[in-house]
Short mmCIF file of all heavy atoms in Angstrom, two decimals:
data_model
loop_
_atom_site.label_atom_id
_atom_site.label_comp_id
_atom_site.label_asym_id
_atom_site.label_seq_id
_atom_site.Cartn_x
_atom_site.Cartn_y
_atom_site.Cartn_z
N LEU A 303 24.20 -22.24 20.38
CA LEU A 303 25.36 -22.95 20.93
C LEU A 303 25.60 -22.61 22.39
O LEU A 303 26.20 -23.40 23.12
CB LEU A 303 26.61 -22.61 20.12
CG LEU A 303 26.61 -23.12 18.67
CD1 LEU A 303 27.84 -22.62 17.93
CD2 LEU A 303 26.57 -24.64 18.66
N THR A 304 25.17 -21.44 22.83
CA THR A 304 25.55 -21.00 24.18
C THR A 304 24.34 -20.62 25.02
O THR A 304 24.49 -20.27 26.17
CB THR A 304 26.47 -19.77 24.10
OG1 THR A 304 25.84 -18.78 23.29
CG2 THR A 304 27.82 -20.13 23.50
N LYS A 305 23.15 -20.67 24.45
CA LYS A 305 21.98 -20.21 25.21
C LYS A 305 21.71 -21.17 26.35
O LYS A 305 21.56 -22.37 26.16
CB LYS A 305 20.76 -20.07 24.29
CG LYS A 305 19.69 -19.21 24.92
CD LYS A 305 19.31 -18.03 24.04
CE LYS A 305 18.39 -18.42 22.93
NZ LYS A 305 17.07 -18.85 23.32
N GLN A 306 21.60 -20.64 27.56
CA GLN A 306 21.42 -21.48 28.74
C GLN A 306 19.95 -21.80 29.00
O GLN A 306 19.58 -22.96 29.14
CB GLN A 306 22.00 -20.77 29.97
CG GLN A 306 23.50 -20.58 29.90
CD GLN A 306 24.04 -19.85 31.13
OE1 GLN A 306 23.35 -19.03 31.74
NE2 GLN A 306 25.27 -20.15 31.49
N ALA A 307 19.11 -20.78 29.09
CA ALA A 307 17.74 -20.99 29.56
C ALA A 307 16.89 -21.74 28.54
O ALA A 307 16.03 -22.54 28.91
CB ALA A 307 17.09 -19.66 29.89
N LEU A 308 17.12 -21.46 27.26
CA LEU A 308 16.25 -22.03 26.24
C LEU A 308 17.08 -22.46 25.02
O LEU A 308 17.11 -21.78 24.01
CB LEU A 308 15.19 -20.98 25.83
CG LEU A 308 14.14 -21.40 24.81
CD1 LEU A 308 13.34 -22.61 25.27
CD2 LEU A 308 13.20 -20.24 24.51
N PRO A 309 17.76 -23.61 25.15
CA PRO A 309 18.54 -24.07 24.00
C PRO A 309 17.59 -24.45 22.86
O PRO A 309 16.54 -25.04 23.10
CB PRO A 309 19.28 -25.31 24.54
CG PRO A 309 18.54 -25.74 25.75
CD PRO A 309 17.82 -24.54 26.29
N MET A 310 17.93 -24.06 21.64
CA MET A 310 17.10 -24.38 20.48
C MET A 310 17.94 -25.22 19.53
O MET A 310 19.01 -24.78 19.09
CB MET A 310 16.62 -23.10 19.80
CG MET A 310 15.73 -22.23 20.68
SD MET A 310 14.12 -22.96 21.06
CE MET A 310 13.25 -22.61 19.54
N LEU A 311 17.47 -26.42 19.24
CA LEU A 311 18.21 -27.34 18.40
C LEU A 311 17.54 -27.42 17.03
O LEU A 311 16.40 -27.82 16.92
CB LEU A 311 18.22 -28.74 19.04
CG LEU A 311 18.74 -28.79 20.48
CD1 LEU A 311 18.57 -30.19 21.07
CD2 LEU A 311 20.20 -28.36 20.54
N ARG A 312 18.25 -26.97 16.02
CA ARG A 312 17.76 -27.02 14.63
C ARG A 312 16.36 -26.41 14.50
O ARG A 312 15.42 -27.06 14.06
CB ARG A 312 17.79 -28.45 14.08
CG ARG A 312 19.18 -29.08 14.12
CD ARG A 312 19.24 -30.33 13.27
NE ARG A 312 19.38 -30.03 11.85
CZ ARG A 312 18.99 -30.87 10.88
NH1 ARG A 312 18.42 -32.02 11.16
NH2 ARG A 312 19.16 -30.53 9.62
N TYR A 313 16.26 -25.16 14.82
CA TYR A 313 14.99 -24.45 14.76
C TYR A 313 14.70 -23.93 13.35
O TYR A 313 15.51 -23.22 12.75
CB TYR A 313 14.98 -23.28 15.75
CG TYR A 313 13.68 -22.53 15.74
CD1 TYR A 313 12.52 -23.14 16.23
CD2 TYR A 313 13.59 -21.25 15.22
CE1 TYR A 313 11.31 -22.47 16.20
CE2 TYR A 313 12.38 -20.57 15.20
CZ TYR A 313 11.24 -21.19 15.68
OH TYR A 313 10.04 -20.53 15.64
N ARG A 314 13.54 -24.30 12.83
CA ARG A 314 13.14 -23.84 11.49
C ARG A 314 12.63 -22.40 11.58
O ARG A 314 11.62 -22.14 12.21
CB ARG A 314 12.03 -24.74 10.95
CG ARG A 314 12.47 -26.17 10.72
CD ARG A 314 11.37 -26.98 10.07
NE ARG A 314 11.09 -26.48 8.73
CZ ARG A 314 10.53 -27.22 7.77
NH1 ARG A 314 10.21 -28.48 7.99
NH2 ARG A 314 10.31 -26.70 6.59
N THR A 315 13.33 -21.47 10.91
CA THR A 315 12.98 -20.05 11.04
C THR A 315 11.85 -19.63 10.11
O THR A 315 11.28 -18.57 10.29
CB THR A 315 14.18 -19.16 10.69
OG1 THR A 315 14.51 -19.38 9.31
CG2 THR A 315 15.38 -19.49 11.56
N ARG A 316 11.55 -20.42 9.08
CA ARG A 316 10.60 -20.09 8.00
C ARG A 316 11.17 -19.06 7.03
O ARG A 316 10.51 -18.72 6.05
CB ARG A 316 9.24 -19.59 8.52
CG ARG A 316 8.65 -20.35 9.68
CD ARG A 316 8.30 -21.78 9.36
NE ARG A 316 7.17 -21.88 8.44
CZ ARG A 316 6.87 -23.00 7.76
NH1 ARG A 316 7.62 -24.06 7.88
NH2 ARG A 316 5.84 -23.02 6.96
N ASP A 317 12.35 -18.54 7.29
CA ASP A 317 12.94 -17.53 6.39
C ASP A 317 13.68 -18.22 5.25
O ASP A 317 14.41 -19.19 5.46
CB ASP A 317 13.92 -16.63 7.16
CG ASP A 317 13.19 -15.72 8.13
OD1 ASP A 317 12.16 -15.15 7.72
OD2 ASP A 317 13.64 -15.58 9.28
N ILE A 318 13.48 -17.71 4.05
CA ILE A 318 14.08 -18.30 2.86
C ILE A 318 15.33 -17.51 2.48
O ILE A 318 15.27 -16.30 2.28
CB ILE A 318 13.08 -18.29 1.68
CG1 ILE A 318 11.81 -19.06 2.06
CG2 ILE A 318 13.71 -18.88 0.42
CD1 ILE A 318 12.00 -20.53 2.36
N THR A 319 16.46 -18.21 2.38
CA THR A 319 17.72 -17.53 2.10
C THR A 319 18.75 -18.51 1.56
O THR A 319 18.44 -19.66 1.29
CB THR A 319 18.24 -16.85 3.39
OG1 THR A 319 19.41 -16.10 3.07
CG2 THR A 319 18.61 -17.86 4.45
N ARG A 320 19.98 -18.01 1.38
CA ARG A 320 21.12 -18.85 0.97
C ARG A 320 22.30 -18.50 1.86
O ARG A 320 22.39 -17.39 2.37
CB ARG A 320 21.49 -18.55 -0.49
CG ARG A 320 20.46 -19.03 -1.50
CD ARG A 320 20.84 -18.66 -2.92
NE ARG A 320 20.73 -17.23 -3.14
CZ ARG A 320 21.62 -16.50 -3.81
NH1 ARG A 320 22.70 -17.06 -4.32
NH2 ARG A 320 21.44 -15.20 -3.98
N LEU A 321 23.23 -19.45 2.02
CA LEU A 321 24.42 -19.21 2.84
C LEU A 321 25.65 -19.11 1.93
O LEU A 321 25.73 -19.80 0.92
CB LEU A 321 24.64 -20.35 3.84
CG LEU A 321 23.55 -20.60 4.87
CD1 LEU A 321 23.93 -21.76 5.79
CD2 LEU A 321 23.28 -19.34 5.70
N ALA A 322 26.60 -18.26 2.33
CA ALA A 322 27.87 -18.17 1.61
C ALA A 322 28.99 -18.20 2.64
O ALA A 322 28.93 -17.49 3.64
CB ALA A 322 27.92 -16.87 0.81
N ARG A 323 29.98 -19.06 2.41
CA ARG A 323 31.09 -19.15 3.37
C ARG A 323 32.41 -18.67 2.79
O ARG A 323 33.44 -18.76 3.45
CB ARG A 323 31.22 -20.59 3.90
CG ARG A 323 30.23 -20.86 5.02
CD ARG A 323 30.32 -22.27 5.55
NE ARG A 323 29.00 -22.86 5.65
CZ ARG A 323 28.26 -22.85 6.76
NH1 ARG A 323 28.70 -22.33 7.86
NH2 ARG A 323 27.05 -23.39 6.75
N ALA A 324 32.41 -18.16 1.56
CA ALA A 324 33.64 -17.61 0.99
C ALA A 324 34.06 -16.41 1.85
O ALA A 324 33.20 -15.74 2.42
CB ALA A 324 33.40 -17.18 -0.45
N PRO A 325 35.37 -16.13 1.95
CA PRO A 325 35.82 -15.03 2.80
C PRO A 325 35.18 -13.71 2.38
O PRO A 325 34.94 -13.47 1.20
CB PRO A 325 37.33 -15.00 2.55
CG PRO A 325 37.69 -16.32 1.98
CD PRO A 325 36.48 -16.84 1.28
N CYS A 326 34.89 -12.89 3.36
CA CYS A 326 34.26 -11.60 3.09
C CYS A 326 35.36 -10.53 3.01
O CYS A 326 36.38 -10.62 3.68
CB CYS A 326 33.29 -11.27 4.22
SG CYS A 326 32.43 -9.70 3.98
N ALA A 327 35.09 -9.50 2.22
CA ALA A 327 36.05 -8.40 2.05
C ALA A 327 36.40 -7.71 3.37
O ALA A 327 37.45 -7.11 3.50
CB ALA A 327 35.48 -7.38 1.07
N CYS A 328 35.51 -7.81 4.35
CA CYS A 328 35.73 -7.11 5.61
C CYS A 328 36.75 -7.81 6.49
O CYS A 328 37.22 -7.23 7.47
CB CYS A 328 34.42 -6.98 6.38
SG CYS A 328 33.84 -8.55 7.06
N GLY A 329 37.06 -9.08 6.20
CA GLY A 329 38.01 -9.81 7.02
C GLY A 329 37.35 -10.75 8.02
O GLY A 329 38.02 -11.57 8.64
N ARG A 330 36.03 -10.65 8.16
CA ARG A 330 35.34 -11.59 9.07
C ARG A 330 35.25 -12.96 8.40
O ARG A 330 35.08 -13.05 7.18
CB ARG A 330 33.94 -11.07 9.40
CG ARG A 330 33.95 -9.86 10.32
CD ARG A 330 32.53 -9.34 10.57
NE ARG A 330 32.56 -8.13 11.41
CZ ARG A 330 32.78 -6.91 10.94
NH1 ARG A 330 32.95 -6.71 9.65
NH2 ARG A 330 32.82 -5.87 11.76
N THR A 331 35.31 -14.00 9.24
CA THR A 331 35.28 -15.37 8.72
C THR A 331 33.90 -16.00 8.87
O THR A 331 33.67 -17.10 8.39
CB THR A 331 36.29 -16.24 9.47
OG1 THR A 331 36.06 -16.07 10.89
CG2 THR A 331 37.71 -15.85 9.13
N HIS A 332 32.98 -15.33 9.56
CA HIS A 332 31.68 -15.94 9.84
C HIS A 332 30.80 -15.96 8.59
O HIS A 332 30.88 -15.08 7.74
CB HIS A 332 30.98 -15.18 10.98
CG HIS A 332 31.69 -15.31 12.30
ND1 HIS A 332 31.05 -15.57 13.48
CD2 HIS A 332 33.01 -15.22 12.61
CE1 HIS A 332 31.93 -15.63 14.46
NE2 HIS A 332 33.13 -15.41 13.96
N VAL A 333 29.96 -16.99 8.54
CA VAL A 333 29.10 -17.25 7.38
C VAL A 333 28.30 -16.00 7.01
O VAL A 333 27.97 -15.18 7.87
CB VAL A 333 28.14 -18.42 7.71
CG1 VAL A 333 27.12 -18.04 8.78
CG2 VAL A 333 27.43 -18.95 6.47
N ARG A 334 28.01 -15.86 5.73
CA ARG A 334 27.12 -14.78 5.30
C ARG A 334 25.77 -15.36 4.90
O ARG A 334 25.69 -16.29 4.10
CB ARG A 334 27.74 -14.01 4.12
CG ARG A 334 28.82 -13.02 4.60
CD ARG A 334 29.58 -12.41 3.46
NE ARG A 334 30.34 -13.41 2.73
CZ ARG A 334 30.27 -13.59 1.43
NH1 ARG A 334 29.48 -12.86 0.68
NH2 ARG A 334 31.00 -14.53 0.86
N ILE A 335 24.73 -14.77 5.48
CA ILE A 335 23.36 -15.15 5.16
C ILE A 335 22.90 -14.15 4.13
O ILE A 335 22.81 -12.95 4.42
CB ILE A 335 22.47 -15.08 6.42
CG1 ILE A 335 23.03 -16.00 7.52
CG2 ILE A 335 21.03 -15.42 6.10
CD1 ILE A 335 22.43 -15.77 8.89
N LEU A 336 22.67 -14.60 2.91
CA LEU A 336 22.28 -13.65 1.87
C LEU A 336 20.90 -13.11 2.23
O LEU A 336 20.14 -13.76 2.93
CB LEU A 336 22.35 -14.31 0.50
CG LEU A 336 23.79 -14.81 0.23
CD1 LEU A 336 23.92 -15.37 -1.17
CD2 LEU A 336 24.84 -13.73 0.45
N ARG A 337 20.61 -11.91 1.79
CA ARG A 337 19.43 -11.23 2.33
C ARG A 337 18.19 -12.09 2.21
O ARG A 337 17.92 -12.69 1.18
CB ARG A 337 19.22 -9.89 1.63
CG ARG A 337 20.31 -8.89 2.01
CD ARG A 337 19.98 -7.51 1.53
NE ARG A 337 19.02 -6.88 2.41
CZ ARG A 337 18.20 -5.92 2.02
NH1 ARG A 337 18.19 -5.52 0.80
NH2 ARG A 337 17.38 -5.38 2.88
N VAL A 338 17.42 -12.10 3.29
CA VAL A 338 16.21 -12.92 3.35
C VAL A 338 15.20 -12.37 2.34
O VAL A 338 14.90 -11.18 2.35
CB VAL A 338 15.63 -12.90 4.78
CG1 VAL A 338 14.24 -13.48 4.83
CG2 VAL A 338 16.58 -13.63 5.73
N THR A 339 14.74 -13.22 1.44
CA THR A 339 13.83 -12.74 0.41
C THR A 339 12.39 -12.77 0.89
O THR A 339 11.53 -12.11 0.32
CB THR A 339 13.92 -13.59 -0.87
OG1 THR A 339 13.90 -14.96 -0.47
CG2 THR A 339 15.18 -13.32 -1.63
N GLY A 340 12.12 -13.55 1.90
CA GLY A 340 10.76 -13.61 2.40
C GLY A 340 10.64 -14.74 3.39
O GLY A 340 11.57 -15.51 3.56
N ARG A 341 9.51 -14.79 4.03
CA ARG A 341 9.25 -15.90 4.94
C ARG A 341 8.34 -16.89 4.25
O ARG A 341 7.48 -16.50 3.48
CB ARG A 341 8.58 -15.39 6.21
CG ARG A 341 9.52 -14.64 7.12
CD ARG A 341 8.80 -14.09 8.32
NE ARG A 341 8.26 -15.14 9.17
CZ ARG A 341 8.99 -15.90 9.98
NH1 ARG A 341 10.28 -15.72 10.03
NH2 ARG A 341 8.44 -16.82 10.73
N ASN A 342 8.59 -18.16 4.55
CA ASN A 342 7.74 -19.19 4.00
C ASN A 342 6.27 -18.89 4.30
O ASN A 342 5.41 -19.08 3.46
CB ASN A 342 8.11 -20.52 4.67
CG ASN A 342 8.28 -21.61 3.64
OD1 ASN A 342 8.06 -21.38 2.46
ND2 ASN A 342 8.66 -22.77 4.10
N ASP A 343 6.01 -18.37 5.51
CA ASP A 343 4.63 -18.07 5.91
C ASP A 343 4.04 -16.93 5.09
O ASP A 343 2.84 -16.80 4.97
CB ASP A 343 4.59 -17.63 7.39
CG ASP A 343 5.25 -18.66 8.29
OD1 ASP A 343 5.15 -19.84 7.98
OD2 ASP A 343 5.87 -18.25 9.28
N ASP A 344 4.92 -16.03 4.59
CA ASP A 344 4.44 -14.87 3.85
C ASP A 344 4.20 -15.20 2.38
O ASP A 344 3.63 -14.41 1.64
CB ASP A 344 5.47 -13.73 3.87
CG ASP A 344 5.68 -13.20 5.27
OD1 ASP A 344 4.81 -13.45 6.11
OD2 ASP A 344 6.70 -12.54 5.50
N MET A 345 4.70 -16.37 1.96
CA MET A 345 4.59 -16.68 0.54
C MET A 345 3.12 -16.84 0.17
O MET A 345 2.38 -17.56 0.83
CB MET A 345 5.36 -17.96 0.21
CG MET A 345 5.52 -18.15 -1.27
SD MET A 345 6.29 -19.72 -1.67
CE MET A 345 4.89 -20.82 -1.47
N LEU A 346 2.74 -16.14 -0.87
CA LEU A 346 1.36 -16.21 -1.33
C LEU A 346 1.33 -17.10 -2.55
O LEU A 346 2.25 -17.09 -3.36
CB LEU A 346 0.88 -14.81 -1.71
CG LEU A 346 1.00 -13.75 -0.62
CD1 LEU A 346 0.85 -12.36 -1.20
CD2 LEU A 346 -0.05 -14.01 0.45
N ILE A 347 0.27 -17.87 -2.66
CA ILE A 347 0.09 -18.63 -3.89
C ILE A 347 -1.09 -17.99 -4.60
O ILE A 347 -2.23 -18.05 -4.11
CB ILE A 347 -0.14 -20.12 -3.61
CG1 ILE A 347 1.06 -20.66 -2.82
CG2 ILE A 347 -0.33 -20.90 -4.91
CD1 ILE A 347 0.93 -22.11 -2.42
N ILE A 348 -0.78 -17.31 -5.68
CA ILE A 348 -1.81 -16.56 -6.41
C ILE A 348 -1.99 -17.20 -7.77
O ILE A 348 -1.06 -17.17 -8.59
CB ILE A 348 -1.42 -15.08 -6.53
CG1 ILE A 348 -1.28 -14.47 -5.13
CG2 ILE A 348 -2.44 -14.33 -7.36
CD1 ILE A 348 -0.67 -13.10 -5.09
N ARG A 349 -3.12 -17.79 -7.97
CA ARG A 349 -3.39 -18.54 -9.22
C ARG A 349 -2.24 -19.47 -9.54
O ARG A 349 -1.74 -19.53 -10.68
CB ARG A 349 -3.65 -17.59 -10.39
CG ARG A 349 -4.90 -16.76 -10.16
CD ARG A 349 -5.37 -16.12 -11.43
NE ARG A 349 -6.50 -15.24 -11.19
CZ ARG A 349 -7.17 -14.61 -12.13
NH1 ARG A 349 -6.83 -14.75 -13.39
NH2 ARG A 349 -8.18 -13.84 -11.83
N GLY A 350 -1.72 -20.13 -8.50
CA GLY A 350 -0.68 -21.12 -8.70
C GLY A 350 0.73 -20.56 -8.79
O GLY A 350 1.68 -21.32 -8.87
N VAL A 351 0.86 -19.24 -8.75
CA VAL A 351 2.20 -18.64 -8.82
C VAL A 351 2.65 -18.30 -7.39
O VAL A 351 1.89 -17.71 -6.63
CB VAL A 351 2.19 -17.35 -9.68
CG1 VAL A 351 3.57 -16.73 -9.75
CG2 VAL A 351 1.66 -17.66 -11.08
#
Side-chain angles (χ1 to χ4, degrees):
L303 293 175
T304 53
K305 197 123 79 67
Q306 295 179 330
L308 182 58
M310 297 293 280
L311 306 174
R312 302 194 79 204
Y313 181 69
R314 295 185 65 156
T315 64
R316 316 296 291 163
D317 290 316
I318 302 297
T319 185
R320 290 178 290 138
L321 299 180
R323 278 179 228 266
C326 181
C328 71
R330 289 177 183 83
T331 51
H332 294 225
V333 68
R334 282 172 295 127
I335 302 167
L336 301 184
R337 291 190 79 206
V338 168
T339 46
R341 287 177 64 75
N342 228 357
D343 306 326
D344 295 342
M345 193 185 78
L346 304 165
I347 302 177
I348 299 169
R349 296 196 185 184
V351 180

